[in-house]
Amino acid sequence: MTQSIVVQVGQCGNQVGCRFWDLALREHAHVNKKGIYDEALSSFFRNVDTRTSAGEGIRGGKISSLKARAVLIDMEEGVVNEILQGPLREVFDSKQLITDVSGSGNNWAVGHKVYGCTYREQIVENLRKAAEHCDCLQCFFVIHSMGGGTGSGLGTFVLNLLEDEFPEVYRIVTSVYPSAEDDVITSPYNSVLAMRELTEHADCVLPIENQSLVDIVNKIKQMAYSGKPGAVIKQDSTIISGRGGVSSLEKPFDAMNNIVANLLLNLTSSARFEGSLNMDLNEIAMNLVPFPRLHYLVPSLTPLYTLADVNIPSRRLDQMFTDAFSRDHQLIHADPKHSLYLACALMVRGNVQVSDLRRNIERLKPSLQFVSWNQEGWKTGLCSVPPVGHSHSLLALANNTCIKPTLVELKDRFMRLYRKKAHLHHYLNVDGMEQACFTEAVSSLTSLIGEYEQLDATKGLLAAEAPRLNIAV
């Protein structure tokens, strides 16, 4: 059995990460009725007390013998301190935590250049210790936000360290992008500076937009309070967490964080549970990333809720596949159906047959446009264990040119500030930071947008007609 390590960086990374651990424990408790430490648990947890059955913790609330395979980093200690006082305090120990008190001041340069240099040795040591507890380390999951200073700056610094220290281990990054109405004025700078690092050093990036999460949560709330018969969201649904991983009280961002945490649960389900068509994590990059820089995989998750008192008929299964390709279910503002696919993965959980999977692919194929040289670019996974509260679920990962508008908007917001040199001095006053960092970052983003535009230009062409692509390899 392979193991993976989760690296949570910054306030957002740690809050999302804690929702993941909270929901993962609940999921394993639901499946592991005997409470025995098994291979499924070992993929993300280790048993530190061999005298007891580590599974007791997931069954009876005593989790002192289970430790998460995680490293928690934040330059403001508030969220990490909350975690240490919350329901998950036994899952982490002080050796897994790296904190400071002053924060990065919403400045990528402080996170990347200052704290990166200051904490480099400690971060490397913590990562190595976590890796030493693994028999077969397969993947690092990095969770961070793009808009703040620690998430964007130190998060991408950690990504570089992972490439240097563990070059053979896959790096899958979940990046939360700020909305246009973000309350951090410098978030366009932080995001574009981080984008260059993600493009150069990640194997896969799952981009998620704050605004898309807000919209999804609002839609579900409207449905829940619509007054229609049966339109009551079950307590075990994705959108309801039952209890917080940080504290026992629900917070405004918890519903949004739950969606991201469930994305990670579905992504890792094949590594944690049995299935007739299990997908290895390293197969994601191998099958979905034909060019190394074009590794941004647009995620969609369905269903996002389960309604009470509603029997799910078979047509709901087909609807689940349809929803995965609709713009309303994407975790960024995008429409993959009207853009070009390089490849697509469908990761299904629950009581779904391989024949259902193939039938729905054949049904949807005529409405989706794939690049001429990869018309059969589908990767499928089937895990038999559904998420708690659902009979089945689907995570779709689309390597699709629909991400281009998000990148263009990000560049436009960056340029509006950069042309005026607004707030630039805050960055240039940091040791090791030069204006060239900005020009190189926006140049990298411009090049990435250009590569997606090249692909878009081949839409509708046959393989023989398509021009040779000038894409960096």
Side-chain angles (χ1 to χ4, degrees):
M1 174 64 79
T2 58
Q3 292 90 35
S4 297
I5 295 170
V6 177
V7 185
Q8 305 167 195
V9 189
Q11 180 178 329
C12 173
N14 279 292
Q15 287 175 335
V16 169
C18 277
R19 306 307 282 178
F20 168 76
W21 296 112
D22 181 30
L23 294 172
L25 282 169
R26 190 144 44 110
E27 197 166 88
H28 282 284
H30 192 72
V31 174
N32 191 339
K33 303 292 187 188
K34 293 182 179 177
I36 297 169
Y37 183 72
D38 57 8
E39 284 193 347
L41 267 171
S42 74
S43 57
F44 280 87
F45 296 91
R46 59 191 179 89
N47 185 7
V48 295
D49 187 353
T50 53
R51 295 170 301 172
T52 66
S53 165
E56 285 178 19
I58 59 172
R59 201 177 44 182
K62 175 181 168 292
I63 52 179
S64 57
S65 55
L66 283 179
K67 293 295 178 195
R69 300 188 189 276
V71 176
L72 283 62
I73 306 168
D74 198 359
M75 296 299 99
E76 283 180 335
E77 56 186 355
V79 172
V80 173
N81 283 346
E82 276 190 70
I83 293 165
L84 293 179
Q85 294 162 15
L88 294 181
R89 59 187 173 276
E90 298 288 351
V91 178
F92 308 103
D93 60 44
S94 58
K95 295 172 187 174
Q96 294 171 275
L97 316 175
I98 300 172
T99 60
D100 203 297
V101 293
S102 55
S104 299
N106 297 322
N107 187 329
W108 179 91
V110 173
H112 200 85
K113 303 286 186 182
V114 177
Y115 287 127
C117 293
T118 304
Y119 287 96
R120 179 190 175 99
E121 294 307 316
Q122 194 178 342
I123 293 170
V124 169
E125 185 182 350
N126 283 32
L127 291 170
R128 283 179 182 160
K129 281 180 180 172
E132 283 166 7
H133 289 300
C134 299
D135 300 319
C136 183
L137 177 58
Q138 184 180 43
C139 186
F140 284 103
F141 287 96
V142 179
I143 312 172
H144 73 127
S145 71
M146 299 288 279
T150 300
S152 69
L154 193 53
T156 52
F157 182 86
V158 170
L159 185 62
N160 296 358
L161 281 184
L162 292 174
E163 185 176 39
D164 291 341
E165 298 290 329
F166 306 92
E168 304 302 315
V169 183
Y170 278 91
R171 299 172 298 282
I172 298 178
V173 186
T174 302
S175 301
V176 180
Y177 285 68
S179 61
E181 292 78 35
D182 189 55
D183 59 354
V184 177
I185 293 171
T186 54
S187 68
Y189 282 161
N190 298 331
S191 300
V192 171
L193 287 163
M195 273 295 298
R196 184 191 179 205
E197 306 296 321
L198 291 180
T199 301
E200 298 299 329
H201 303 290
D203 289 306
C204 293
V205 177
L206 309 181
I208 294 158
E209 283 179 351
N210 259 331
Q211 192 56 49
S212 292
L213 296 177
V214 170
D215 292 347
I216 288 169
V217 170
N218 287 340
K219 280 176 199 161
I220 294 170
K221 283 180 179 173
Q222 280 179 346
M223 178 175 284
Y225 300 119
S226 64
K228 293 178 182 175
V232 179
I233 296 177
K234 283 185 177 179
Q235 281 298 308
D236 272 336
S237 290
T238 296
I239 207 67
I240 307 281
S241 68
R243 67 181 173 112
V246 175
S247 68
S248 56
L249 298 173
E250 293 295 316
K251 294 187 173 181
F253 292 112
D254 284 346
M256 293 164 62
N257 292 339
N258 273 355
I259 294 172
V260 185
N262 271 272
L263 180 158
L264 293 168
L265 284 180
N266 281 30
L267 185 67
T268 60
S269 61
S270 284
R272 295 182 294 121
F273 300 114
E274 291 300 313
S276 58
L277 202 64
N278 264 6
M279 189 192 300
D280 225 5
L281 288 168
N282 57 17
E283 292 180 52
I284 295 171
M286 180 64 69
N287 289 274
L288 296 190
V289 183
F291 306 109
R293 284 163 54 86
L294 305 186
H295 54 234
Y296 293 86
L297 309 179
V298 176
S300 63
L301 198 57
T302 178
L304 284 161
Y305 51 84
T306 304
L307 298 180
D309 308 316
V310 176
N311 293 319
I312 300 177
S314 59
R315 68 179 180 81
R316 279 299 305 159
L317 186 64
D318 289 0
Q319 187 63 45
M320 179 179 79
F321 282 90
T322 301
D323 288 344
F325 294 90
S326 78
R327 61 188 308 157
D328 289 344
H329 281 73
Q330 308 306 312
L331 300 190
I332 70 168
H333 278 125
D335 188 0
K337 210 167 184 179
H338 292 94
S339 300
L340 192 64
Y341 280 88
L342 282 74
C344 184
L346 299 178
M347 305 179 78
V348 185
R349 299 182 63 181
N351 185 23
V352 180
Q353 305 301 315
V354 175
S355 57
D356 292 321
L357 196 51
R358 289 179 178 150
R359 174 174 55 79
N360 274 286
I361 289 175
E362 290 304 316
R363 177 175 67 84
L364 290 160
K365 255 166 85 171
S367 64
L368 306 173
Q369 300 182 74
F370 274 73
V371 287
S372 56
W373 38 266
N374 198 23
Q375 290 290 310
E376 302 299 319
W378 296 89
K379 179 65 184 168
T380 54
L382 191 51
C383 172
S384 56
V385 177
V388 176
H390 293 265
S391 60
H392 47 254
S393 71
L394 168 62
L395 169 65
L397 299 176
N399 193 337
N400 189 293
T401 59
C402 68
I403 192 167
K404 188 184 75 175
T406 297
L407 305 182
V408 170
E409 184 192 345
L410 188 59
K411 181 186 171 184
D412 289 346
R413 289 174 57 210
F414 173 93
M415 291 307 298
R416 281 199 291 274
L417 288 177
Y418 189 64
R419 283 193 193 100
K420 304 288 187 187
K421 300 294 186 276
H423 306 286
L424 211 56
H425 62 287
H426 296 300
Y427 292 79
L428 300 181
N429 287 339
V430 175
D431 282 348
M433 189 71 183
E434 299 173 353
Q435 196 157 334
C437 295
F438 286 86
T439 54
E440 287 166 6
V442 77
S443 174
S444 170
L445 183 56
T446 303
S447 172
L448 188 66
I449 292 168
E451 289 170 30
Y452 282 114
E453 283 174 345
Q454 275 193 67
L455 286 163
D456 263 339
T458 68
K459 213 159 33 176
L461 298 179
L462 299 173
E465 301 170 329
R468 183 178 174 82
L469 297 172
N470 183 28
I471 289 175
V473 293

